Amino acid sequence: MFADLRDKLRAMTPNREPLAERRAAVKRSRRADSDPDPHSDPEPHPDPESEARRVRGGIVQARVFTDAECARIERRIDDVVARADRGLWRARTVDRAPLRSKYFFGEGYTYGAQLRRRGPGQERLYPRGEVDDIPAWVRELVIDRLVARGLIPDGFVNSAVINDYQPGGCIVSHVDPVHIFERPIVSVSFFSDSALCFGCRFRFKPIRVSEPVLQLPVVRGGVTMLSGYAADDITHCVRPQDIKERRAVIILRKTRPDAPRLDASPTSPAHPVTEHRHTLKAKRSHRKADPDAAHRPRVLEMDKEENRLSRSRTDRTSPDVDTPPRKVKMRRH
């Protein structure tokens, strides 16, 4: 017997409480899944000072290039951008997002929304020949100088990436794929000074970035090398507020011999893709610097990827307006 009708109802619906808990757990899981940065640190670091010391232990920095040498290299970077605008690079050499353009040379790889399955360890190298070779000027003006200084061994670099940021641009927290690239990760900065931050967590819509464990200044003409803890055990990023002027960075890496690679596709372009010239010009994000851009919320690369996926879903479900309706022959029964 039940003295209270509510007790009777609870006895008749024993799964009522667990169901509510399950629904709350699903909501929490969906909020977690909506975070577009799979490499973000799940919890704040309990001892930031100790963490910062460990990060510094895996960093080597040196000022290598003079202002005149920087200007010469920066003109070459402008040439890379101009060739992309004319559609003269292979399709997978160029990857553009709002306020940040990425140019792969030697080796390129899938990341972000390009992955079939999201998360660390899912990245794959493109088939050989999918991106352009490392330009001769990168080897002569940049790589050879680092070899001469004893910073990297001769023959180490087989992958070069140019990241070209406009004011307010960024790259979210990540770890360079350990199964793809050997260490150290080498980067050289041009056009302006900036900062590389470690241990940040990104939130979006609007964009918010947590305080870093370590904010590392990077100067024009300077080289930064990451290995050990700084490369493998903590994320690094470039925050929007740290890009106040145009900045470019050349990232030099060596791929592992056993790095996984996508299967070659017969439709993959093996030559410069000039037929996409107008499309590339329409998507161009290399625009004049806005001095206030770094202080306003911006659509980031992850938002671009979400929009791209949304458009692809719409395209699959929407009829093509240029396709005439299919005639159906009716039969009498």
Side-chain angles (χ1 to χ4, degrees):
M1 297 296 294
F2 297 94
D4 191 321
L5 181 60
R6 289 172 294 183
D7 295 335
K8 182 176 181 180
L9 292 174
R10 277 194 291 269
M12 294 172 64
T13 56
N15 293 326
R16 185 174 182 180
E17 291 290 333
L19 178 60
E21 293 176 3
R22 287 198 298 272
R23 286 176 176 171
V26 168
K27 290 181 179 179
R28 288 194 297 269
S29 175
R30 287 176 178 172
R31 285 197 298 268
D33 291 342
S34 67
D35 188 346
D37 177 16
H39 299 296
S40 290
D41 299 312
E43 297 293 339
H45 299 281
D47 185 359
E49 286 298 325
S50 174
E51 195 82 2
R53 285 194 297 269
R54 299 178 73 181
V55 175
R56 289 191 188 96
I59 298 173
V60 173
Q61 287 188 300
R63 178 67 183 266
V64 175
F65 301 93
T66 65
D67 289 343
E69 291 169 334
C70 286
R72 184 180 179 188
I73 293 169
E74 287 159 3
R75 287 193 294 270
R76 296 287 191 167
I77 295 173
D78 286 336
D79 289 342
V80 169
V81 176
R83 285 178 61 86
D85 293 337
R86 297 196 299 272
L88 299 180
W89 297 120
R90 293 171 182 168
R92 283 180 166 170
T93 294
V94 183
D95 177 26
R96 281 177 162 160
L99 303 180
R100 180 204 55 89
S101 296
K102 203 175 190 76
Y103 306 93
F104 292 99
F105 297 104
E107 293 280 10
Y109 68 100
T110 60
Y111 70 101
Q114 303 167 356
L115 300 179
R116 295 174 183 174
R117 294 178 59 190
R118 301 295 293 273
Q122 301 302 319
E123 299 88 352
R124 298 290 183 269
L125 290 174
Y126 289 136
R128 298 188 188 280
E130 291 284 312
V131 303
D132 288 87
D133 294 334
I134 298 176
W137 67 264
V138 174
R139 294 195 178 277
E140 296 167 4
L141 302 182
V142 183
I143 297 174
D144 289 351
R145 284 292 307 279
L146 302 187
V147 172
R149 286 283 298 265
L151 294 172
I152 57 175
D154 190 16
F156 177 77
V157 176
N158 69 346
S159 169
V161 178
I162 299 176
N163 281 341
D164 188 10
Y165 299 93
Q166 298 304 309
C170 73
I171 190 164
V172 298
S173 298
H174 66 282
V175 171
D176 289 46
V178 177
H179 65 292
I180 298 287
F181 297 109
E182 295 185 358
R183 273 41 177 162
I185 306 299
V186 183
S187 62
V188 192
S189 296
F190 297 101
F191 288 107
S192 66
D193 300 345
S194 184
L196 187 65
C197 291
F198 295 83
C200 291
R201 185 177 180 87
F202 275 65
R203 296 289 185 185
F204 296 88
K205 299 179 182 179
I207 182 172
R208 303 176 302 284
V209 187
S210 65
E211 285 298 314
V213 169
L214 175 67
Q215 182 178 354
L216 181 73
V218 289
V219 299
R220 179 181 182 234
V223 176
T224 300
M225 302 172 61
L226 305 182
S227 59
Y229 194 88
D232 300 338
D233 298 298
I234 189 170
T235 60
H236 59 272
C237 68
V238 176
R239 302 180 303 174
Q241 58 264 45
D242 294 325
I243 306 292
K244 298 179 175 61
E245 304 175 58
R246 182 189 177 189
R247 181 212 177 201
V249 58
I250 301 178
I251 304 171
L252 306 172
R253 294 176 287 204
K254 179 179 179 62
T255 58
R256 295 185 179 276
D258 58 349
R261 190 180 294 273
L262 294 176
D263 295 332
S265 169
T267 60
S268 298
H271 302 285
V273 187
T274 55
E275 62 267 24
H276 295 305
R277 182 180 303 169
H278 298 295
T279 303
L280 290 172
K281 283 187 177 181
K283 293 173 67 177
R284 184 181 180 187
S285 64
H286 180 72
R287 47 183 172 264
K288 292 183 178 179
D290 180 352
D292 297 325
H295 308 287
R296 295 199 298 267
R298 290 288 184 178
V299 178
L300 301 176
E301 57 187 17
M302 291 302 179
D303 297 299
K304 174 193 172 187
E305 293 166 1
E306 291 176 3
N307 293 337
R308 184 189 306 152
L309 292 174
S310 176
R311 286 196 299 272
S312 67
R313 286 192 292 267
T314 303
D315 293 342
R316 287 195 297 268
T317 56
S318 300
D320 189 343
V321 296
D322 297 328
T323 304
R326 186 166 60 94
K327 294 182 180 180
V328 180
K329 185 176 181 180
M330 303 298 292
R331 293 183 179 181
R332 295 181 180 275
H333 296 280

